[in-house]
């Protein structure tokens, strides 16, 4: 990718420019942000008037981290009236509340209201009748709030992160490999894969913000089957870290090709796990016993034993095939649009 004169070849330079333009085109605009802001206020209003228990609503996910698009969904969490530092655990019985909320939102004319209980943690889904925005609500998952803040912090460390993540999400969405409900990987999973790649480069773009020596910050978090645990969500504020020395000078185009090549052909899926908490990659022997049969492991930064990558082997083959095809297209100079041609989800 790097010419004899140390410069980047023209088509990779073009790719970098196209990545910046695409971010501009798809990133959420003031109007979309306002619609979501009002929607959060309306949902909070419904809870305040109708909900017998004190509860506060907060947003997380791409809208909250500033990485949303105009058609992003809205991820919300209901925080029970517990002080954040409380050692008390969220009572599993509160999951039942999602069913009470379902009737409530139906009364307020929300569309397609349903409780999804098959997921790792139950969620309530609905479509706002005024704006058509899709909303996911869960109960008491502090993890989502903190992983959103962690991702936001990594994005703040390096300017290239924001563009990179927008382009990566656009690519996996258009190629049909971003549908966790259909067995592929979530945006959250691709985001963690990107951070890990940036941490493990020979000259890293990102440090690891989760120093094991930090004073633990434990918060309650409901787990699967209605069980609750305390999770440690401590991480270093990026304004307090020194930049990585030497500085990585790769362009966005080089980073995109490097990422696709890394997970397309270089990453050893049988021997390694992705773990941004432990600085990028760990060997499978250091991972959870629960993961031995998993085709791909991406460790959650805060929830021990949680593999965020739920894809089976055949799906991982498809993902890798898509990545390899994209590398060929970009290396041949076919341009960013060539890897964004829409395809039905697998
Ligand atoms: P998009 O713009 O595509 O909606 P996003 O950045 O909001 O992307 P999502 O995949 O919707 O990403 O994830 C939002 C939040 O949901 C994450 O911050 C995370 O807390 C939670 N989440 C998503 N997928 C998983 C998963 N597989 N395991 C655990 N938590 C997940
Ligand atoms: Mg989302």
């Amino acid at each position: 990718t790097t010419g004899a004169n140390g410069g980047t070849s023209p088509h990779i330079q073009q790719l970098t420019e196209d990545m910046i333009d695409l971010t501009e085109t798809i990133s959420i605009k003031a109007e979309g942000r306002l619609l979501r802001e009002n929607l959060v206020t309306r949902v909070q209003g419904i809870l305040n008037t109708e909900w017998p228990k004190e509860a506060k609503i907060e947003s997380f996910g791409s809208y909250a981290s500033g990485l949303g698009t105009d058609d992003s969904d809205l991820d919300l969490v209901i925080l029970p009236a517990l002080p954040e530092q409380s050692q008390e655990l969220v009572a599993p019985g509160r999951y039942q509340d999602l069913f009470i909320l379902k009737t409530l939102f139906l009364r307020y004319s929300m569309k397609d209201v349903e409780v999804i209980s098959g997921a790792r943690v139950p969620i309530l889904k609905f479509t706002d009748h005024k704006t058509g925005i899709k909303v996911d609500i869960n109960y008491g998952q502090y993890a989502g709030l903190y992983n959103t803040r962690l991702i936001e912090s990594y994005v703040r460390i390096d300017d290239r992160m924001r563009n990179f993540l927008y382009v990566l999400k656009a690519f996996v969405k258009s190629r049909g490999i971003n549908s966790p409900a259909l067995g592929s990987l979530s945006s959250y999973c691709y985001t963690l894969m990107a951070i890990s790649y940036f941490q493990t480069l020979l000259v890293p773009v990102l440090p690891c913000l989760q120093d094991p020596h930090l004073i633990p910050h434990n918060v309650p978090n409901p787990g699967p089957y209605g069980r609750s645990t305390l999770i440690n969500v401590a991480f270093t504020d990026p304004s307090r870290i020194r930049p990585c020395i030497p500085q990585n000078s790769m362009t966005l185009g080089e980073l995109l090709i490097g990422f696709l090549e890394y997970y397309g052909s270089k990453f050893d899926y049988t021997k390694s796990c992705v773990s941004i908490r432990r600085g990028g990659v760990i060997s499978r022997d250091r991972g959870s016993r629960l993961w031995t049969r998993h085709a791909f492991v991406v460790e959650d930064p805060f929830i021990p034993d949680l593999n965020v990558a739920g894809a089976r082997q055949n799906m991982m083959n498809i993902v890798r095939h898509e990545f390899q095809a994209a590398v060929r297209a970009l290396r041949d100079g076919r341009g960013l649009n060539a890897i964004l041609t829409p395809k039905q989800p697998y």
Side-chain angles (χ1 to χ4, degrees), residues 185 189-197 259 263 274 296 298 323:
L185 305 170
C189 182
Y190 285 111
T191 303
L192 298 178
M193 288 162 66
I195 294 171
S196 166
Y197 169 70
F259 171 89
Y263 288 108
V274 171
F296 180 35
V298 177
F323 279 27

Side-chain angles (χ1 to χ4, degrees), residues 60-63 72-75 134 136 169 173 187-188:
F60 65 106
S62 60
Y63 164 69
S72 288
D73 60 1
L74 182 62
D75 300 295
K134 291 192 164 59
D136 282 358
K169 284 205 276 179
K173 277 179 210 288
S187 299
Y188 177 55

Side-chain angles (χ1 to χ4, degrees), residues 52-295:
K53 307 169 187 187
E54 245 177 280
K56 194 176 171 331
I57 283 281
E58 278 212 47
S59 64
F60 65 106
S62 60
Y63 164 69
S65 61
L67 292 169
T69 62
D70 279 318
D71 42 39
S72 288
D73 60 1
L74 182 62
D75 300 295
L76 297 178
V77 53
I78 299 178
L79 299 175
L82 282 176
E84 231 181 69
Q85 300 278 13
S86 166
Q87 296 294 305
E88 254 181 90
L89 302 180
V90 180
R94 290 182 186 253
Y95 285 146
Q96 302 311 318
D97 293 347
L98 288 182
F99 289 95
I100 305 172
L101 285 174
K102 179 178 171 178
T103 17
L104 185 59
F105 285 116
L106 280 170
R107 264 205 285 128
Y108 278 80
S109 328
M110 295 305 186
K111 305 282 174 241
D112 315 317
V113 191
E114 51 177 336
V115 175
I116 311 282
S117 49
R120 202 182 58 84
V121 290
I123 51 170
L124 177 78
K125 274 183 173 299
F126 66 83
T127 305
D128 176 36
H129 66 105
K130 281 194 181 157
T131 59
I133 294 171
K134 291 192 164 59
V135 183
D136 282 358
I137 302 189
N138 76 67
Y139 205 97
Q141 280 279 322
Y142 281 94
L145 282 183
Y146 284 95
N147 67 41
T148 298
R149 287 179 201 168
L150 179 68
I151 290 164
E152 216 182 347
S153 300
Y154 278 117
V155 171
R156 249 191 293 149
I157 292 175
D158 195 285
D159 284 343
R160 290 167 288 188
M161 279 298 289
R162 184 169 174 273
N163 287 297
F164 187 92
L165 291 177
Y166 267 111
V167 173
L168 174 60
K169 284 205 276 179
F171 163 66
V172 295
K173 277 179 210 288
S174 55
R175 298 308 295 167
I177 50 174
N178 177 212
S179 306
L182 302 176
S184 52
L185 305 170
S186 68
S187 299
Y188 177 55
C189 182
Y190 285 111
T191 303
L192 298 178
M193 288 162 66
I195 294 171
S196 166
Y197 169 70
F198 286 158
Q199 289 174 328
T200 46
L201 279 165
L202 202 57
V203 180
V205 171
L206 295 176
C208 174
L209 292 176
Q210 291 173 279
D211 184 332
H213 305 297
L214 287 173
I215 300 166
H217 176 189
N218 294 324
V219 298
N221 202 60
Y225 321 113
R227 274 179 288 134
S228 234
T229 49
L230 284 176
I231 56 167
N232 174 15
V233 295
F235 66 89
T236 309
D237 185 324
S239 62
R240 301 186 54 184
I241 53 146
R242 273 167 285 156
C244 298
I245 304 286
Q247 299 246 331
N248 177 302
S249 62
M250 289 168 77
T251 63
L252 276 170
E254 289 168 334
L255 287 169
L256 181 61
I257 294 177
F259 171 89
L260 295 167
E261 221 160 36
Y262 178 70
Y263 288 108
S265 19
K266 293 184 183 155
F267 186 81
D268 191 339
Y269 288 80
T270 56
K271 294 211 178 83
S272 309
C273 308
V274 171
S275 172
I276 69 164
R277 175 167 69 90
R278 299 191 251 188
V281 176
I282 55 164
S283 111
R284 285 237 183 195
D285 326 326
R286 292 183 55 217
S288 163
R289 291 238 179 106
L290 302 174
W291 301 337
T292 40
R293 304 175 81 90
H294 293 198

Side-chain angles (χ1 to χ4, degrees), residues 305-346:
D305 287 345
L306 176 61
N307 177 11
V308 167
R312 293 173 189 276
Q313 190 59 60
N314 59 344
M315 186 58 77
M316 286 315 299
N317 293 343
I318 291 170
V319 169
R320 292 174 65 179
H321 179 266
E322 282 292 336
F323 279 27
Q324 290 163 9
V327 170
R328 284 194 298 275
L330 296 177
R331 283 221 185 282
D332 290 354
R334 276 179 267 157
L336 185 56
N337 279 334
I339 70 165
L340 298 176
T341 46
K343 187 162 195 339
Q344 283 298 316
Y346 284 94

